[in-house]
Amino acid sequence: MGLRVLKDEEEEMKKSSITQHSQKEEKPKRIKKKTPFTKFLYNLFIYSLLILMTIVTIGPFLWLLSTALKSGAENIFAYPPKFIPEQPTLANFARVMEAFPFWRYLFNSSLVSFVTVLLNLVLCSLAAYPLARMKFKGKNIIFILILSTMMIPFQLLMIPIYLLALDLGLNNTYAGVILPHATTAFGIFLIRQAFMTVPYELEESARIDGCNSFQIWLRILMPLVKPSLVTLAIFTFMMSWGDFLWPLIILDDTSMYTLPLGVNALAGSFSSDWRLIAAGSIISILPIIIFFIFMQKYFIGGVMKGAVKG
Amino acid sequence: MKQSKIAPYLFLLPGCIVLGLIIFYPLVQAVWLSFTDYNIIQDPNFVGMENYQTMIESDLFWKALGQTFLYLIVVVPSLVILPIFLAILVNQKVKGIGFFRSAYFVPVVTSMVVVGITWKWVYAEQGVLNYILDLMGLSSVNWLTSTSTAIFAVMAVTIWKGLGYYMLIYLAGLQSIPSDLYEAAEIDGASKFKQIIHVTIPLLAPSILIVSIMSSISAMKVFEEIYVMTGGGPLNSSKTIVFLIYEQAFSRLNMGYASAIGVVLFGITLIISIINLKVMSKKEKVA
C-alpha cells in the first residue's frame, strides 16, 4: 500500500466523511446511541487532532523539502517564511548529486544493513534456543550477563573496539562497520520470548522421531517464530541503517561511507548553503522512506509485536 | 526431555563469542585504560587514580553529569506519557487511520543525522518555530545558540523522534485490552475520560514499564542529536556524559580519561539496570 494511495483515500474520506461516517461503525454500540451530529463532531475532533499531529511529525521534513526546492534567486531566510517555493526547481538536487556519491552510499548502507540483519537473525536465535528451552548450568548467569549488555553504553566500549578493529585490520571495511552490531542482547531476548511460547509437545515428538537439537531449532522452532524474526529484522535494520557514531570512527575512506555519514559530511562541506544541505538530506532519506512506505505493515506490526513479546 | 550436555553451550557459542568480542573484552580493556594515560600515539602508562582525580575536580564533568540527569528527568516522563495519548488517538476506528500511524512513524525510521539537520533548520533564528511564536505574540528564541534553551531544544527532538515508536508499543498494549471492559464501564456510566483513567491506564501498566525502561536506556546514551545540532554547546550547555566521552576520546585523544568517565557512566547505568532487571523478573513471574 503506497503512501499516495493512502493519501488519496484520506482525501476522499475527508470529502465524504459527512455522508459516510454513519456507515463506518462496524459494531453497533449497544449502550449509547449517538446522534449523527455528535458523531460528526466527534469525528471532526479526532481528525483535527490527527491532522495536527501529522503537521508536527511530517511538517519539519516538508519544510526542509520546500527549502530544497527553492531556487537560488529566492531568499530562503525570508520572514515570514514562505512555505511554497516561488519557482520550484530541482537544480539543488542536481548540484548535490554531483558532490554526493549517492548510489555508492546507498550501496554501502544497504550491504551493511543486510549483513547485520542476517547475522543477528542467525546468531540471536541460536543463542536464544537454550536460554528459552534447555536446562543447563550457568543459564541464569549467562542470561543476566547477556541482558546486562543492553545497559553498557557503546561510547564506553568504542575505544577498545576501535583498537581491536585496528588490530584485526578492519578499519575502512564493511566487516568493521558490521562487527559491533553482529549480535544484540535485545535480539536474543526477543527470540527467547518467542521460543518460550512454542509447546513442548512439538519438541518432544520431534525428538522421538530422532531429531537432534539443531534440527529442532531449524525445522520446528524457527518456522514457528517467523513473526518475531521479522520483528528482529526490522529492529536491526532500523538500528543499522541509521547508525552514525561507529561508522564515523571506523571509516575515514569516504568511498566506504554510509548514507548518514555522507549527509553529515555534506552538511559540513556546504556549511552555509541550506538549499544544498536540505536537498542532500532529502535525497539521503528517500530510500528509507520508500522502503518504509512499501514495508509499513511489517514496520508497524514488527514494533507492536516486539512490544508485546519483549 | 533428553538433550546432550554440551548442546546448550554450542548454541550459545557463536553469539557469546561475538558479545565477548564487542562487549566483555572491550569492557575489561576500557576499565584498564581508565587507569592509564593512553592517547593512541604513545603506549599506555599506568597512572593509578589520576584520571578519576581529574574527573572529580573537573567542573565540566559535573556539569555534563547534571545535564545527563536533566535529560533523563525531562525526556523519560515525556516519552512515557505523551505517546499514551497518541496511541489512544491512533486507536480510534476512523477511516485512514493506517496513514496517520505511518505518518507518525516516519521520524522513527529517519536517521538522526537528517532529523538533526531538519530541526536545526526549524529552530533557525528566522525559522518556522520562531515564526509560529511570533504569530502567537511571543518573542523569538535563539533555540540552539542560547545556553538556557539549547539542551531543551535538543530534548524536544529526542522526544519528537521517539513519539511514534513508543506510540506503537502502547497501541499494542491498548489492542490487548478486551473491549467488554469498556462496555462494562460505559454501562456503569463512566465518561470517556474516566474510562481512560480507570481502565486504560491501569491495564497499560506492562507497556508503561517497558517504555520507562527503554526510554531511560536510550536517554542515558543520547549522543547523535547533540553532535548534529549543538556540538555540545553553547558553552558546554548541552553536553552530556556520553558526549564528553566522545569528545575526550576522539577529539582530544585522551582515551584514558575518556575511559574513566565511561566507567563512571557504566556504574550509574549498572545501578539502573539492576533495578530494571528486578522489575522485569517480577513481571516475568506474573506472566
Side-chain angles (χ1 to χ4, degrees):
Chain A
M1 225 180 343
L3 198 59
R4 260 182 58 190
V5 177
L6 281 168
K7 238 182 192 164
D8 291 343
E9 191 188 311
E10 177 217 357
E11 264 158 28
E12 186 188 305
M13 168 268 310
K14 262 194 279 180
K15 273 183 235 148
S16 57
S17 69
I18 302 163
T19 52
Q20 275 196 352
H21 68 270
S22 50
Q23 305 160 11
K24 197 165 47 218
E25 294 278 275
E26 284 141 2
K27 284 183 242 161
K29 287 225 166 122
R30 269 177 276 158
I31 329 293
K32 254 193 275 174
K33 273 209 172 154
K34 283 179 186 162
T35 66
F37 184 65
T38 56
K39 228 187 277 171
F40 168 72
L41 278 185
Y42 180 73
N43 278 353
L44 191 70
F45 175 66
I46 294 295
Y47 280 117
S48 313
L49 284 178
L50 285 169
I51 290 164
L52 179 76
M53 280 311 296
T54 310
I55 294 169
V56 171
T57 54
I58 304 290
F61 294 122
L62 293 181
W63 172 230
L64 196 72
L65 177 65
S66 155
T67 306
L69 291 172
K70 281 175 185 165
S71 69
E74 192 174 348
N75 178 16
I76 54 168
F77 296 100
Y79 197 85
K82 280 232 171 74
F83 293 98
I84 310 291
E86 280 165 6
Q87 293 167 317
T89 168
L90 292 174
N92 299 320
F93 291 94
R95 267 185 71 197
V96 159
M97 287 300 270
E98 283 168 23
F100 186 67
F102 169 75
W103 296 108
R104 176 77 203 191
Y105 294 164
L106 178 62
F107 172 78
N108 291 344
S109 275
S110 306
L111 183 74
V112 163
S113 300
F114 176 75
V115 177
T116 307
V117 167
L118 202 68
L119 279 172
N120 268 277
L121 289 179
V122 174
L123 296 179
C124 293
S125 44
L126 275 174
Y129 175 31
L131 292 172
R133 307 177 71 88
M134 290 180 181
K135 281 190 181 128
F136 59 95
K137 246 187 169 178
K139 177 173 162 177
N140 280 333
I141 290 174
I142 291 172
F143 187 52
I144 286 171
L145 276 177
I146 289 173
L147 278 186
S148 69
T149 64
M150 284 201 270
M151 282 300 287
I152 304 174
F154 176 71
Q155 285 80 7
L156 168 67
L157 307 173
M158 67 189 174
I159 302 166
I161 298 179
Y162 175 67
L163 302 175
L164 178 75
L166 287 184
D167 283 344
L168 297 172
L170 293 180
N171 51 325
N172 286 322
T173 65
Y174 294 119
V177 183
I178 293 161
L179 174 75
H181 303 305
T183 307
T184 55
F186 166 77
I188 295 175
F189 185 70
L190 183 82
I191 304 301
R192 171 185 171 266
Q193 299 295 95
F195 281 163
M196 280 164 61
T197 63
V198 177
Y200 275 90
E201 291 77 24
L202 284 175
E203 197 174 335
E204 265 160 42
S205 60
R207 231 171 252 284
I208 289 162
D209 291 345
C211 284
N212 62 31
S213 296
F214 183 76
Q215 288 163 326
I216 288 169
W217 173 80
L218 186 65
R219 300 212 183 121
I220 311 277
L221 294 174
M222 289 298 268
L224 286 171
V225 299
K226 256 186 206 150
S228 292
L229 294 174
V230 172
T231 300
L232 178 59
I234 291 288
F235 273 100
T236 313
F237 174 78
M238 288 196 293
M239 181 265 297
S240 174
W241 188 270
D243 191 26
F244 175 66
L245 176 59
W246 175 247
L248 183 69
I249 292 168
I250 196 73
L251 300 175
D252 42 49
D253 178 355
T254 52
S255 71
M256 294 297 290
Y257 274 13
T258 54
L259 278 170
L261 275 188
V263 136
N264 179 58
L266 188 81
S269 59
F270 292 126
S271 60
S272 57
D273 197 335
W274 270 97
R275 285 182 194 83
L276 298 185
I277 294 174
S281 301
I282 295 291
I283 290 173
S284 84
I285 58 171
L286 275 184
I288 186 76
I289 297 292
I290 292 166
F291 186 66
F292 173 63
I293 288 168
F294 282 104
M295 303 286 284
Q296 52 183 317
K297 191 177 94 187
Y298 295 100
F299 272 86
I300 303 238
V303 173
M304 286 174 70
K305 269 177 210 131
V308 175
K309 279 168 190 146
Chain B
M1 192 176 52
K2 261 202 311 187
Q3 87 200 16
S4 91
K5 274 232 165 85
I6 58 156
Y9 303 104
L10 286 178
F11 276 98
L12 280 164
L13 196 64
C16 286
I17 288 176
V18 175
L19 286 180
L21 213 60
I22 63 175
I23 309 243
F24 294 105
Y25 164 74
L27 182 63
V28 172
Q29 219 197 343
V31 172
W32 150 245
L33 284 175
S34 77
F35 296 105
T36 71
D37 60 357
Y38 191 54
N39 60 5
I40 279 211
I41 301 147
Q42 289 157 327
D43 281 342
N45 295 308
F46 183 79
V47 294
M49 299 299 286
E50 206 181 288
N51 290 326
Y52 292 90
Q53 187 85 34
T54 316
M55 185 168 68
I56 288 168
E57 286 163 8
S58 156
D59 292 338
L60 185 57
F61 167 75
W62 291 108
K63 192 178 166 80
L65 190 65
Q67 279 161 187
T68 304
F69 279 108
L70 185 65
Y71 221 95
L72 274 177
I73 291 166
V74 176
V75 168
V76 174
S78 305
L79 281 178
V80 168
I81 295 163
L82 295 178
I84 295 182
F85 296 104
L86 205 53
I88 292 173
L89 183 63
V90 297
N91 198 31
Q92 301 298 316
K93 286 171 188 64
V94 295
K95 255 199 169 179
I97 199 71
F99 165 79
F100 292 104
R101 281 178 198 167
S102 295
Y104 302 165
F105 200 71
V106 166
V108 180
V109 295
T110 314
S111 76
M112 192 47 108
V113 175
V114 172
V115 166
I117 289 172
T118 306
W119 274 90
K120 249 174 118 168
W121 189 226
V122 171
Y123 279 136
E125 245 168 86
Q126 303 234 309
V128 172
L129 197 61
N130 278 334
Y131 174 65
I132 294 170
L133 284 188
D134 204 17
L135 288 182
M136 300 195 306
L138 300 165
S139 55
S140 63
V141 176
N142 296 331
W143 295 104
L144 295 171
T145 49
S146 151
T147 51
S148 54
T149 53
I151 193 169
F152 295 101
V154 179
M155 283 173 185
V157 175
T158 308
I159 296 166
W160 179 80
K161 194 178 191 291
L163 276 181
Y165 183 75
Y166 297 115
M167 170 193 82
L168 287 185
I169 293 180
Y170 283 128
L171 185 62
L174 284 179
Q175 293 186 345
S176 68
I177 299 176
S179 62
D180 38 325
L181 283 177
Y182 290 105
E183 281 166 25
E186 214 161 296
I187 291 171
D188 291 346
S191 66
K192 273 254 153 45
F193 179 74
K194 277 199 167 162
Q195 288 176 30
I196 290 176
I197 299 295
H198 295 292
V199 180
T200 310
I201 304 283
L203 286 167
L204 271 187
S207 310
I208 292 173
L209 183 71
I210 293 168
V211 172
S212 321
I213 293 170
M214 289 172 59
S215 59
S216 56
I217 291 174
S218 62
M220 282 302 274
K221 292 181 180 178
V222 65
F223 171 78
E224 287 176 12
E225 44 271 61
I226 296 172
Y227 178 89
V228 175
M229 295 178 69
T230 67
L235 297 173
N236 302 323
S237 63
S238 60
K239 248 170 218 170
T240 56
I241 279 290
V242 165
F243 192 93
L244 197 60
I245 296 171
Y246 167 79
E247 187 182 56
Q248 286 294 334
F250 290 94
S251 311
R252 312 225 170 132
L253 299 180
N254 292 330
M255 301 237 164
Y257 181 50
S259 300
I261 304 172
V263 169
V264 170
L265 177 72
F266 179 49
I268 300 167
T269 51
L270 202 62
I271 294 166
I272 300 177
S273 72
I274 287 167
I275 298 168
N276 283 342
L277 276 177
K278 283 218 164 126
V279 180
M280 261 207 257
S281 63
K282 234 187 216 165
K283 186 192 142 222
E284 223 162 80
K285 265 175 215 156
V286 176

